[in-house]
Amino acid sequence: MNKTAIMITALVAVLATAMVVGAVDKVEIRGAVQEVVDGATVTWNPQNFAGFYYDIKDDIGNEQITMTITGNKLEEPNGVKYTSTVQEKKFKFEGWGWYYAIGFLGEKYFAGYSDKKPTWNGAEIDPELYKQSTDRNTLVDEQLLKVLIDEDTEKTFTSGTPLKLADGYELIIKSIDVDGNKVYVELMKDGQSVDTKVVSPSKEGATMSDQTYVYKKNIGDTEKLVIIAVHFKNAFRGADQDIATVKGIFQVSDQPMDVSVDTEYDKMRISKVDATSIEMDNKDNAITLNKNKDIALMAGIHIKTADQDVIDAENPLRFYIYKEATIEAAAPSPVVPEKPAVVEEKKVEAAPVNVTEEKPANVTEEKPAVEEKKVEKPAAPAAPAEEKKPAEEKKGAPGFEAVFAVTGLLAVAYLVSRRN
């Protein structure tokens, strides 16, 4: 492809990209529609409000909002009640057993380790992360941690390539002994060393403790909690670099979320916290349900009422709760700019310049005929090309007609210049 064709292709790509404007859409994830009826009690949970956390595989997630309507009001402190309870969730790497997960304000959080014993290699064993932690329950200390990684995908890393974790953490192989029985590893956070340990995944009779690297940290009032665990499958000492294979990673945030009593979220406040549950109410915040209202209830969850023309006993005011979500537009598709580029390449290949450059010696008598074709063809294909391209592009990408019109004109100019 010569310089002119390259310039045409680049111009098409630039114009097409410039005309694609990324957009961000906000959508409502709403719950089931309810009616304002005096004395009625209405409830939303993960089954009728998708804004709550729910894991369909393990059937985990039990957040619930219950509203008691008095007249057209949600009186305080019990007009609105929110509850959520911890549930056991199995680690993706089953050899570690279970941990306690809880939905809070529509998100999944870690609340502690379970003492339930898993079965590994046909035998019941102690739950490793529970055993390694001093404090095992974060709700007792009125805090929750975000689950960052929970996977059992097999991964290989080397002494030259660290194992990347979340929140700036990475695990480095410092050395492996000759037999591959002991792996000396170092944990880094944002480039700073925070921990070193030896794991022994390949030694004879290795236990879960031998195979698991754990990093413990004090999180608020919770002492020596395992926040990172990595299960090593095997390790090898190589001539150029050492290699280890891991299968099982679990990590929670080292920045806790405060869920202490009396913490407020818009019109709701935490009224009770214990080792297994969180409760909230609307103390000091009575809510009136009038038409056409959007009321911030708690941390991203709103109440929306209908803008009804008629509200009476037969047509009570309708309302629902919703959570706003942001959907970013996808990056500009490469398909659009590729179409004109392919067309232009075909034009260049069909141009007589390729024939005369490739076979000047063997086709000397046919040169006049080829050059006569060059005179006949510039205007003929250009016109249908300009008429056909917009029609084709309207099907897949409306609004790009101008780009292809310019492309067509440039193509005509290019062919005419080659003829001259």
Side-chain angles (χ1 to χ4, degrees):
M1 183 183 292
N2 58 32
K3 292 182 179 179
T4 307
I6 293 172
M7 290 178 63
I8 294 172
T9 302
L11 178 60
V12 171
V14 170
L15 290 173
T17 303
M19 295 177 71
V20 176
V21 180
V24 176
D25 294 328
K26 291 186 176 181
V27 297
E28 290 182 1
I29 302 175
R30 70 168 180 83
V33 177
Q34 307 286 358
E35 294 180 340
V36 178
V37 177
D38 184 26
T41 299
V42 297
T43 299
W44 290 272
N45 53 43
Q47 282 65 50
N48 63 359
F49 177 44
F52 284 148
Y53 163 69
Y54 182 68
D55 181 338
I56 193 172
K57 178 183 176 183
D58 298 324
D59 191 24
I60 292 176
N62 55 17
E63 292 176 87
Q64 181 171 292
I65 289 178
T66 300
M67 297 184 182
T68 301
I69 302 170
T70 304
N72 67 332
K73 292 184 178 182
L74 304 171
E75 301 285 7
E76 63 91 15
N78 296 318
V80 185
K81 298 284 288 184
Y82 169 92
T83 61
S84 188
T85 305
V86 301
Q87 295 172 286
E88 280 186 329
K89 179 173 176 58
K90 183 175 287 188
F91 290 103
K92 291 293 180 65
F93 176 67
E94 297 183 356
W96 288 332
W98 289 260
Y99 65 96
Y100 289 114
I102 187 171
F104 183 63
L105 304 176
E107 301 290 336
K108 172 189 173 183
Y109 287 94
F110 169 88
Y113 292 114
S114 169
D115 63 356
K116 185 176 179 181
K117 293 185 176 183
T119 298
W120 183 248
N121 292 332
E124 192 176 77
I125 63 173
D126 291 330
E128 187 64 24
L129 309 192
Y130 174 89
K131 181 178 70 174
Q132 293 280 358
S133 299
T134 299
D135 290 342
R136 288 90 175 231
N137 190 302
T138 63
L139 265 184
V140 170
D141 298 315
E142 299 184 328
Q143 56 187 14
L144 297 174
L145 304 178
K146 195 76 174 175
V147 177
L148 303 178
I149 304 176
D150 180 15
E151 64 178 44
D152 67 347
T153 304
E154 190 169 297
K155 295 181 177 181
T156 299
F157 70 113
T158 71
S159 50
T161 305
L163 177 66
K164 297 290 185 181
L165 302 171
D167 276 0
Y169 286 96
E170 59 183 13
L171 196 62
I172 296 173
I173 297 175
K174 299 296 289 183
S175 64
I176 298 178
D177 70 352
V178 176
D179 298 325
N181 291 336
K182 295 182 179 180
V183 185
Y184 177 45
V185 295
E186 182 175 22
L187 184 68
M188 310 287 287
K189 180 175 171 61
D190 299 327
Q192 301 295 317
S193 176
V194 295
D195 186 44
T196 58
K197 273 190 180 65
V198 173
V199 292
S200 305
S202 303
K203 78 174 187 179
E204 186 177 352
T207 65
M208 186 61 69
S209 295
D210 293 326
Q211 297 173 336
T212 301
Y213 167 80
V214 296
Y215 174 56
K216 296 177 277 190
K217 188 175 181 180
N218 294 342
I219 306 293
D221 294 331
T222 306
E223 296 184 359
K224 295 183 179 179
L225 177 79
V226 173
I227 67 166
I228 295 174
V230 180
H231 175 259
F232 281 73
K233 185 177 179 182
N234 51 48
F236 305 94
R237 181 173 178 176
D240 299 323
Q241 58 184 0
D242 298 331
I243 302 172
T245 302
V246 300
K247 182 177 174 60
I249 303 175
F250 184 74
Q251 182 180 359
V252 295
S253 173
D254 57 11
Q255 299 298 314
M257 181 176 189
D258 181 19
V259 288
S260 56
V261 172
D262 290 331
T263 300
E264 295 183 353
Y265 296 92
D266 294 320
K267 295 186 178 302
M268 301 292 286
R269 63 111 197 185
I270 296 178
S271 57
K272 178 185 175 183
V273 179
D274 58 30
T276 61
S277 65
I278 301 174
E279 295 181 7
M280 301 176 72
D281 60 27
N282 65 321
K283 182 182 178 182
D284 299 328
N285 285 296
I287 300 170
T288 302
L289 300 174
N290 291 326
K291 75 171 190 174
N292 196 27
K293 295 292 183 181
D294 192 321
I295 303 163
L297 181 62
M298 59 180 192
I301 297 177
H302 293 237
I303 301 173
K304 178 171 282 190
T305 61
D307 185 14
Q308 293 176 228
D309 293 329
V310 177
I311 300 175
D312 53 29
E314 295 183 357
N315 299 282
L317 179 65
R318 297 181 295 277
F319 74 107
Y320 58 75
I321 61 172
Y322 77 90
K323 185 177 183 180
E324 192 171 74
T326 301
I327 301 176
E328 294 185 5
S333 173
V335 175
V336 176
E338 282 178 1
K339 286 184 179 178
V342 171
V343 173
E344 290 306 318
E345 287 178 4
K346 288 182 179 179
K347 287 182 178 180
V348 174
E349 291 171 2
V353 63
N354 292 336
V355 176
T356 57
E357 288 177 0
E358 293 177 4
K359 300 181 180 180
N362 300 332
V363 199
T364 51
E365 295 180 0
E366 294 180 5
K367 281 184 181 178
V370 172
E371 292 176 356
E372 288 176 6
K373 288 181 180 179
K374 290 199 296 184
V375 175
E376 295 173 0
K377 285 190 174 181
E386 293 181 16
E387 294 173 3
K388 186 177 181 181
K389 286 179 184 175
E392 292 175 349
E393 293 302 321
K394 284 179 182 177
K395 296 178 181 177
F400 284 87
E401 292 86 352
V403 175
F404 300 128
V406 171
T407 305
L409 291 174
L410 289 173
V412 173
Y414 164 68
L415 292 174
V416 172
S417 66
R418 293 300 300 169
R419 183 195 65 183
N420 294 333

